[in-house]
Amino acid sequence: MEKDQKNQAGDTEEVAEEVIIIENPEVIDGTMLQGEIVKVGDGFIFIDHVRRGYQTVPTNGDVFCPVPKDSNYKVGQLVQFSELNQDRDRVGKFRTENISLVNTDLDVNTPEGRIGMIAKLSETKSPYHQLKKIIAEGDIEKAKENKPLVEFVQQVAWLLNQEGGYQPEHISRMAEEFVAKTFAMLGPLGVKCSIQGDVDLEAEEEMIKETAKLYEESGLSGQAESLKKEYAQFLAVRNAFTLMSQNNLLNYWSVIDQKHLPELTYAFPVCYIYRKAGLDGLERQEREDDPRPDETIKFFSDCVGSQEYAWFFQIYNRRTRPLARFNGKDIMPPALVKIMNKAKENFDYIAIMTPYHDQASREWSDPNWLRNIDPIMVGFLKDLPYMFVLGRWSGTGIFPLLLDCIADTTNHLRINKHLLGNFIHNSWWYKGKKSSNNDEVKDILSNSEMEKVLIEYTDRLLKAYDNGLLFQFLRGELKEDPDYKF
């Protein structure tokens, strides 16, 4: 009977290409498989578009999965599963036995629903996370009360709860609409916003050159320069989306407003950075006890715009760490290395953001701190207030372990804040507290109170955290509140 059902509802077209056999399909790099339900029958479903992390898994057609007859699975839903086995009834094809839905139907129109969805999305999604650090449940609950990425979660929920659920083509269309909206001034010139890799780049660049020449000949040299700058940024953004689309990276969490950088930085505070223009003065920074903030530190400190965020970033990243220094048990997937190498052509900055608190600024690092796992890689473009999530070591999105990592950072601050006294007083500090015409203020508060200032700052941060206001604090939204005024 099962075989008859498959013949009726499964693949009906013959596969002309050579049969692909996956060796040891039950264990695939320890990463959960994800796929889309494409057919629903009486007691079974078929799954297609199967992926393992960043890579498409060749399955020679739909994957069969038996399900209870009273189940309510629908075409278009995303499911995850850990096994992919040979299907004896269909030569060269596969089946799986146990699946779970990726999406959630929580009502995001209520605060409880939004917080619940954050918790749901933050649950572990991969066997990779079996190596995670154990965090007390109460600490995770407190992290949840701070509602990380809550506005972004509302957008995600809207997307996932549309008719038919998550659809990759919806994301591609939204990405193209994002490009068109962000660079609307270029629309009348006829540039294409497609991220499918089908743009005639040579013809487009020639058109831009001709238009710039027209401006210059008309005495509008300023307009010519503005056009060149706008098109260069447009090109970088479109190329970034194209790169992500062609490498199956484009997802609902791929592009995030930089206002949410405090959430990512707090969860993954220790950064290893690539700068397209080059990292200046690294040897000097390592040699000097009191290095001046370089252009990279300034860039990341300025992404949010608040003094509170700039200080948090610097206490974990006082000296720029180059990518070459990234090491640990999180071995970077080769596919992600290839994506990073391509991304270097498009982004001004690439950051590997990690939960490696033991590698904090050397003035206060605790080498005995047990680190958590699973970094993320994020791309940044100058003058564009968005960040591009290029991937994560586990192959999942930004949410799994997010609450765990936030709780871990809080515990690290509570236990080790006294080590902030190791920062020498009278230190160079970007966005220092003392008024000056120069953002690099040599004296944070006074020559003798460096330790007091950093610890008082941390106390205010922790108080905001305990009251569920951490990210408002880091974004500088509590300036008028005397309890958190910084």
Side-chain angles (χ1 to χ4, degrees), residues 102-320:
V102 173
N103 298 346
T104 175
D105 296 322
L106 290 167
D107 182 6
V108 295
N109 294 316
T110 65
E112 295 77 13
R114 289 191 289 275
I115 296 175
M117 187 170 182
I118 291 169
K120 184 72 175 176
L121 291 170
S122 298
E123 293 175 358
T124 57
K125 300 292 184 183
S126 167
Y128 183 95
H129 293 145
Q130 292 178 5
L131 301 173
K132 71 176 183 175
K133 182 176 180 177
I134 302 302
I135 306 294
E137 191 61 36
D139 292 342
I140 294 175
E141 284 298 312
K142 178 58 70 172
K144 185 172 68 175
E145 290 174 12
N146 281 273
K147 301 181 285 295
L149 297 170
V150 65
E151 292 180 20
F152 181 66
V153 163
Q154 286 181 271
Q155 300 168 18
V156 169
W158 179 88
L159 198 63
L160 295 183
N161 290 330
Q162 293 304 293
E163 185 66 31
Y166 167 82
Q167 299 284 346
E169 57 268 26
H170 294 171
I171 303 297
S172 293
R173 186 172 67 250
M174 290 178 67
E176 291 174 351
E177 290 173 355
F178 171 86
V179 175
K181 181 179 178 180
T182 305
F183 299 96
M185 304 302 285
L186 294 178
L189 300 182
V191 297
K192 290 189 66 175
C193 296
S194 171
I195 62 170
Q196 308 306 318
D198 55 356
V199 176
D200 187 339
L201 188 58
E202 186 175 334
E204 187 178 83
E205 289 180 340
E206 183 61 30
M207 178 268 294
I208 294 294
K209 288 179 182 178
E210 289 297 320
T211 305
K213 182 179 178 182
L214 172 64
Y215 288 147
E216 289 170 347
E217 291 175 347
S218 303
L220 298 170
S221 56
Q223 286 287 284
E225 288 303 312
S226 295
L227 172 62
K228 293 175 184 177
K229 182 179 179 180
E230 186 80 356
Y231 179 69
Q233 194 172 58
F234 164 82
L235 205 56
V237 173
R238 187 179 66 188
N239 287 346
F241 275 122
T242 302
L243 168 69
M244 298 170 80
S245 177
Q246 292 178 341
N247 287 276
N248 296 316
L249 290 174
L250 204 55
N251 212 306
Y252 59 81
W253 38 259
S254 296
V255 182
I256 308 177
D257 194 305
Q258 280 183 10
K259 71 175 291 184
H260 296 302
L261 184 55
E263 283 95 322
L264 293 192
T265 307
Y266 198 84
F268 310 96
V270 174
C271 300
Y272 299 82
I273 297 170
Y274 162 83
R275 181 178 179 231
K276 196 173 186 179
L279 296 173
D280 53 322
L282 289 181
E283 292 184 5
R284 173 183 56 76
Q285 285 191 13
E286 285 299 314
R287 184 175 64 250
E288 294 182 0
D289 290 333
D290 183 22
R292 295 193 181 196
D294 64 7
E295 292 304 314
T296 301
I297 298 298
K298 292 178 182 178
F299 171 81
F300 283 92
S301 295
D302 283 336
C303 280
V304 177
S306 71
Q307 190 179 43
E308 291 85 345
Y309 174 78
W311 279 43
F312 178 80
F313 183 82
Q314 287 176 91
I315 65 175
Y316 278 100
N317 302 278
R318 191 175 182 218
R319 296 168 179 83
T320 299

Side-chain angles (χ1 to χ4, degrees), residues 281-438:
L282 289 181
E283 292 184 5
R284 173 183 56 76
Q285 285 191 13
E286 285 299 314
R287 184 175 64 250
E288 294 182 0
D289 290 333
D290 183 22
R292 295 193 181 196
D294 64 7
E295 292 304 314
T296 301
I297 298 298
K298 292 178 182 178
F299 171 81
F300 283 92
S301 295
D302 283 336
C303 280
V304 177
S306 71
Q307 190 179 43
E308 291 85 345
Y309 174 78
W311 279 43
F312 178 80
F313 183 82
Q314 287 176 91
I315 65 175
Y316 278 100
N317 302 278
R318 191 175 182 218
R319 296 168 179 83
T320 299
R321 300 179 193 84
L323 293 182
R325 282 184 53 191
F326 173 74
N327 66 80
K329 63 183 179 182
D330 287 295
I331 304 300
M332 194 170 184
L336 190 53
V337 176
K338 294 175 183 178
I339 290 164
M340 180 187 71
N341 291 335
K342 293 178 182 178
K344 287 179 178 179
E345 302 172 5
N346 297 309
F347 293 98
D348 295 307
Y349 291 91
I350 295 173
I352 295 177
M353 305 178 70
T354 77
Y356 298 169
H357 300 87
D358 59 300
Q359 298 295 308
S361 294
R362 74 184 187 201
E363 287 86 353
W364 78 298
S365 65
D366 177 2
N368 296 316
W369 190 264
L370 178 63
R371 65 173 61 172
N372 215 327
I373 61 169
D374 205 7
I376 59 172
M377 187 165 67
V378 185
F380 296 82
L381 290 166
K382 290 181 179 178
D383 303 320
L384 193 69
Y386 296 93
M387 44 193 173
F388 297 75
V389 180
L390 300 173
R392 195 167 178 192
W393 273 235
S394 62
T396 63
I398 60 174
F399 288 102
L401 294 190
L402 181 69
L403 296 179
D404 298 60
C405 290
I406 288 171
D408 199 32
T409 297
T410 303
N411 290 335
H412 184 255
L413 287 169
R414 288 194 199 279
I415 294 170
N416 290 296
K417 68 177 181 179
H418 65 281
L419 295 175
L420 292 171
N422 292 332
F423 283 85
I424 61 173
H425 58 260
N426 197 33
S427 293
W428 287 103
W429 200 258
Y430 187 56
K431 291 188 179 293
K433 202 167 178 65
K434 195 174 183 180
S435 61
S436 171
N437 292 328
N438 187 337

